[in-house]
Amino acid sequence: MFHSLRLLSFARSFPLVALVLLPFSAALAGPAIGPWTPIFKGIDHAVGTNNPSIAGNFPELQVVHCVRVDLTDPDVQLFPTPRASSYVAESRETLTLSVPDFLKQYKLQVAADANFYDVSGYGADPPSEGLASEVYGLQISRGIVVSAETSADYSGDPRAASLLFTTNKQPMFVFKNLPPGTNTAGIYTALTGYYPIVSNGVNFGVAASNSYPDSSIHQLQPRTAYGVSKDNRYLLIMTIDGRQNGYSVGAYDVETGYWMTNCGAWNAINM
């Protein structure tokens, strides 16, 4: 279950970098994710916090939530937002829907943000539900392409990291899934974020900031990240609350990568 507008619902190769990358978690004896607590069959939840007043912690106040989804559980299903009625590619691909209403309408258990999107006249800040949306990047729901990789989505923009699943929920990352896009034969589920933050167990946050220039995305922001464990058993969906002084102000890329590795991610993308 992924959500394309805002799982378990889905509601986003990087360039060579001349850097020596070390696991960031090994360099910082800092905050750690809490214990995993079962919340549904095949789905666990954990919470982590960062307190700047504790030595070795980040200078930002953070509250982190992570859901760990067992992809080997036969009862676990993944569900990105489906095609809109009267579907039109590049303009009416999905319809706006809040995350809580998405979860309730499709009778899901967990829902989170996924692909970026655009509503004509409103951008990414629509005033109501049910409005036609163009989804940026690859999105596949139950084997049906909702949004294809197109030059219109990514003209001059190298940021298009996709997470794909086969019909038997085997995951695959394509860190630079630009048009015409990767082969989607046999792919049942797919979503697309922005750029990698963990690659082969290494925190890629610093390199990502250098490789994908942006005036705001690399600053202190609320975060949603998707990752997969080394053995491909677990899908990890993590959020970091932001813009809430006194509670949680957000995270930088390297901090997001740190939390994802602590949750068990071997590869992960920033959404």
Side-chain angles (χ1 to χ4, degrees):
M1 301 145 257
F2 296 73
H3 189 246
S4 71
L5 303 183
R6 286 281 183 196
L7 144 241
L8 195 37
S9 132
F10 294 121
R12 287 216 205 275
S13 310
F14 42 81
L16 295 176
V17 180
L19 294 173
V20 176
L21 300 175
L22 297 175
F24 190 75
S25 56
L28 175 70
I33 199 74
W36 293 104
T37 301
I39 55 174
F40 300 106
K41 183 177 182 292
I43 305 174
D44 301 328
H45 172 244
V47 180
T49 57
N50 178 71
N51 186 341
S53 65
I54 298 176
N57 281 19
F58 300 123
E60 291 78 39
L61 193 63
Q62 295 168 341
V63 176
V64 179
H65 289 267
C66 190
V67 170
R68 185 177 67 180
V69 181
D70 188 350
L71 296 172
T72 66
D73 190 310
D75 294 325
V76 168
Q77 300 297 321
L78 309 177
F79 181 65
T81 302
R83 280 187 173 189
S85 58
S86 303
Y87 173 86
V88 179
E90 302 302 314
S91 62
R92 186 182 172 87
E93 295 179 329
T94 64
L95 302 179
T96 56
L97 192 61
S98 70
V99 175
D101 285 347
F102 176 80
L103 185 144
K104 288 185 288 186
Q105 177 172 317
Y106 293 104
K107 297 179 173 58
L108 309 175
Q109 293 178 321
V110 180
D113 299 333
N115 298 50
F116 284 92
Y117 64 97
D118 178 74
V119 178
S120 180
Y122 300 104
D125 192 21
S128 61
E129 297 184 347
L131 300 178
S133 306
E134 176 191 1
V135 178
Y136 291 158
L138 179 66
Q139 182 183 313
I140 298 176
S141 179
R142 293 185 170 179
I144 298 174
V145 175
V146 176
S147 173
E149 289 289 356
T150 64
S151 57
D153 289 350
Y154 289 102
S155 178
D157 190 338
R159 298 168 297 190
S162 296
L163 175 55
L164 302 83
F165 296 84
T166 62
T167 53
N168 61 347
K169 295 178 293 186
Q170 285 298 301
M172 176 182 70
F173 282 94
V174 181
F175 282 156
K176 196 173 183 180
N177 191 22
L178 293 172
T182 190
N183 183 4
T184 58
I187 298 301
Y188 192 70
T189 304
L191 56 83
T192 299
Y194 240 18
Y195 48 78
I197 52 171
V198 178
S199 176
N200 293 325
V202 174
N203 187 337
F204 199 67
V206 172
S209 299
N210 295 330
S211 302
Y212 304 93
D214 193 289
S215 60
S216 62
I217 193 68
H218 300 304
Q219 301 304 310
L220 198 63
Q221 300 284 6
R223 300 287 173 179
T224 300
Y226 283 65
V228 173
S229 60
K230 185 177 182 179
D231 59 4
N232 285 339
R233 176 175 179 176
Y234 294 110
L235 168 66
L236 299 154
I237 306 164
M238 187 186 74
T239 62
I240 303 176
D241 288 314
R243 305 190 187 114
Q244 300 178 68
N245 291 334
Y247 175 69
S248 182
V249 297
Y252 294 98
D253 290 318
V254 70
E255 296 169 348
T256 308
Y258 170 89
W259 283 110
M260 282 304 284
T261 57
N262 269 266
C263 290
W266 185 249
N267 289 293
I269 55 178
N270 182 65
M271 302 305 294

